[in-house]
Amino acid sequence: SFLYGTALSTLADTEFDCISQEGISLEHVEFLDRAAPEPNVVKCEVIMQWLQRTIVENISNGVLPIAPPILSRVFNDLSSGVANVSAARKINELPFPFHYAQML
């Protein structure tokens, strides 16, 4: 998915190609390119917000008739996934303390 590829891009410092951007308008893609001063830092949060908004809009339209317990689990899994990517990004970006490196 687009969110998964963007999350991997934040950790690997490389760009992954998206197979198809069929459901994403050109305005949204341009907004993502301008959204963050550093590549992919804020993109995960923006894409997750778009995904949550799309789910809520389609539930209110009757397109996704999902029971509330299942829906809360979907939102919980989305937010915990992005939180885990954020925690992994902290580990990836913070250097190992010099004093500990000298002890090894």
Side-chain angles (χ1 to χ4, degrees), residues 32 44 54 88:
L32 273 180
C44 285
T54 303

Side-chain angles (χ1 to χ4, degrees), residues 13-66:
D13 293 331
T14 105
E15 289 292 324
F16 290 96
D17 293 332
C18 185
I19 294 173
S20 173
Q21 294 181 346
E22 187 174 321
I24 304 170
S25 69
L26 184 61
E27 295 171 348
H28 287 93
V29 173
E30 289 173 353
F31 177 78
L32 273 180
D33 289 338
R34 294 187 316 259
E38 296 180 34
N40 301 322
V41 172
V42 180
K43 289 182 182 181
C44 285
E45 287 82 5
V46 171
I47 294 171
M48 189 184 90
Q49 195 68 24
W50 288 346
L51 190 58
Q52 286 179 340
R53 187 182 68 204
T54 303
I55 290 170
V56 169
E57 286 175 356
N58 286 319
I59 287 172
S60 64
N61 293 340
V63 176
L64 292 173
I66 300 174

